[in-house]
Amino acid sequence: MTRRLTEGPLVVATHNQGKAKEIAALLAPFRLEVKAAGDLGLPEPEETGATFIDNAVIKARAAAEKSGLPALADDSGLAVHGLDGSPGIYSARWAGPGKDFAVAMARVETELGDNPDRGAHFVCALALAWPDGHVETFQGEVHGRLVFPGRGTQGFGYDPIFTPDGYDQTFGEMDPEAKDRISHRAAAFRQLVEHTLGPDGPR
């Protein structure tokens, strides 16, 4: 049975400041007190899952257990069609220990080479965990195409090289509010809101 989140605070299980800011903006209408795992000094668990959902659950459960509070984790990445879905769950690792996504985007371009297939999609998996071990999961996607060189300085990660279907701007060029309406994270959040933050959720 789906469990409702009826009160805060809520831990956002990420040490990525760009992601934490984006998630906080999506949660703002619900007036939840949001605390980032990085700000609480919580350790980052090893992501050993085989899917985005698996890794989101690992992160959410670890944060909920360590903090004693409900925790929301996001695991997301870019699946490039011409690379058989890579980097996928390894999207952050392609950026290296310094988390330099310029390196990651250059690797995507290099590995694609002259492959004409520039299709790609972003995936966002969300896991909402409680300290007692209960977990709810949701997943959203947005499809589009890759452009090189990257354009724009908004967003984070692979945003400068991804143009969503039906748009001319990359996520890196889009106003954050515009991106929040159509992104993979927004699609996953709509499911989260419907099932756990609906009429009975905090306002």
Side-chain angles (χ1 to χ4, degrees), residues 52 76-79 86-96 101 104 122 158:
F52 290 107
S76 54
L78 179 69
S86 292
I89 62 171
Y90 303 108
S91 292
R93 294 178 214 182
W94 276 33
F101 279 91
F122 272 120
Y158 295 89

Side-chain angles (χ1 to χ4, degrees), residues 137-141 186-197:
T137 62
F138 312 94
Q139 184 165 301
E141 297 182 1
F189 261 84
R190 281 192 288 271
Q191 298 171 43
L192 170 76
V193 168
E194 179 182 353
H195 293 284
T196 69
L197 288 171

Side-chain angles (χ1 to χ4, degrees), residues 122-199:
F122 272 120
V123 178
C124 172
L126 294 176
L128 178 60
W130 281 260
D132 65 3
H134 182 85
V135 179
E136 302 281 350
T137 62
F138 312 94
Q139 184 165 301
E141 297 182 1
V142 60
H143 290 253
R145 63 194 183 280
L146 302 179
V147 296
F148 301 103
R151 305 194 308 260
T153 58
Q154 301 279 8
F156 57 95
Y158 295 89
D159 284 356
I161 62 171
F162 182 82
T163 304
D165 286 343
Y167 293 82
D168 295 322
Q169 288 183 312
T170 68
F171 271 174
E173 295 173 303
M174 278 189 179
D175 178 85
E177 290 185 3
K179 178 191 171 185
D180 285 348
R181 288 193 290 270
I182 65 168
S183 75
H184 50 307
R185 192 160 288 111
F189 261 84
R190 281 192 288 271
Q191 298 171 43
L192 170 76
V193 168
E194 179 182 353
H195 293 284
T196 69
L197 288 171

